[in-house]
Amino acid sequence: IVLTQSPGTLSLSPGERATLSCRASQSVTSTYLAWYQQKYGQAPRLLIYGASSRATGIPDRFSGSGSGTDFTLTISRLEPEDFAVYYCQQSGSSPPTFGQGTKVEIK
Amino acid sequence: EVQLVETGGGLIQPGGSLRLSCAASGFTVSSNYMSWVRQAPGKGLEWVSFIYSGGSTYYTDSVKGRFTISRDNSRNTLYLQMNSLRAEDTAVYYCARASCTDNICPTHFSYWGQGTLVTVSS
């Protein structure tokens, strides 16, 4: 399953709302859809699993939604530490695959 | 506290071999779904291999027959033996622990190591 993320880059200011899209080439059961954040030089960090469940310690400004082939990660109010690259990932079909990433940069 | 520490990366010539290690603490490797995920310089994430708690192993097509995932229960350590290395294997290799959702396993990668860089070049 190919995951296509859009936009490639999102230029926003702190305090603004970020909406990131992940579109799958085939339907993905929500259980198998996750989102990660990766800052420069660091390992990825799990944000969302099961399409909408926040991982331990993740602030509630991060939320996930969607079903079928269209999934969304929303950051309600961007904090300075949220500027990073975000990846979606599916494991409903082998092999597990990641989207190409969306970079959220400071405008 | 869950910790994963990868070692073993480095510069290796095409056709060479390398073994990566991932020392785990805070949990038992053999009771979990463990994986290797790689990231080529400036690129996205690519799943490489899984070893399930029951011992079953899985690989992405590009490494089948060249890479072997294994674990040492006494050392609580995960390994990735990489043979016949190619330039396109150049990447940071992350060790990750996968988790379950609603009793379905594995579904996502909940813990990651800091990664180890493998550079395949002459």
Side-chain angles (χ1 to χ4, degrees):
Chain A
I1 294 178
V2 176
L3 299 178
T4 302
Q5 293 185 239
S6 61
T9 302
L10 201 50
S11 299
L12 295 168
S13 301
E16 290 194 293
R17 181 185 189 89
T19 304
L20 287 66
S21 173
C22 175
R23 179 161 289 178
S25 59
Q26 304 171 41
S27 183
V28 175
T29 303
S30 297
T31 304
Y32 297 103
L33 197 288
W35 289 91
Y36 304 85
Q37 177 194 66
Q38 187 178 35
K39 296 180 182 179
Y40 184 77
Q42 296 185 17
R45 176 175 72 145
L46 175 68
L47 296 176
I48 301 287
Y49 64 93
S52 60
S53 297
R54 271 187 302 276
T56 303
I58 301 304
D60 61 7
R61 64 179 181 273
F62 291 92
S63 63
S65 63
S67 63
T69 60
D70 290 295
F71 297 89
T72 300
L73 174 70
T74 301
I75 311 171
S76 59
R77 295 173 311 280
L78 282 164
E79 297 288 340
E81 62 268 28
D82 299 337
F83 291 92
V85 180
Y86 294 83
Y87 294 95
C88 57
Q89 174 251 325
Q90 70 79 29
S91 55
S93 177
S94 186
T97 52
F98 293 86
Q100 83 281 15
T102 289
K103 181 180 181 181
V104 179
E105 66 176 23
I106 300 176
K107 185 174 181 180
Chain B
E1 180 192 4
V2 171
Q3 278 199 319
L4 297 165
V5 179
E6 303 96 332
T7 56
L11 175 62
I12 187 76
Q13 291 190 339
S17 297
L18 212 54
R19 189 178 80 157
L20 306 183
S21 300
C22 172
S25 57
F27 72 100
T28 302
V29 164
S30 61
S31 300
N32 282 272
Y33 296 80
M34 300 298 298
S35 188
W36 290 96
V37 177
R38 68 185 177 184
Q39 186 171 36
K43 302 296 184 182
L45 300 165
E46 179 187 25
W47 170 77
V48 174
S49 180
F50 255 125
I51 183 166
Y52 284 11
S53 52
S56 299
T57 58
Y58 303 89
Y59 302 92
T60 192
D61 285 347
S62 63
V63 309
K64 280 180 185 174
R66 300 189 299 124
F67 289 12
T68 302
I69 191 171
S70 64
R71 63 194 182 202
D72 183 330
N73 298 344
S74 64
R75 297 178 185 270
N76 207 34
T77 297
L78 179 73
Y79 300 102
L80 185 67
Q81 177 67 43
M82 304 186 296
N83 298 332
S84 303
L85 282 160
R86 306 167 180 168
E88 54 265 35
D89 296 318
T90 294
V92 173
Y93 284 74
Y94 295 102
C95 164
R97 187 184 108 175
S99 295
C100 309
T101 305
D102 298 334
N103 294 317
I104 298 171
C105 306
T107 55
H108 56 280
F109 303 101
S110 46
Y111 296 97
W112 299 67
Q114 85 290 349
T116 187
L117 176 62
V118 173
T119 304
V120 184
S121 175
S122 54

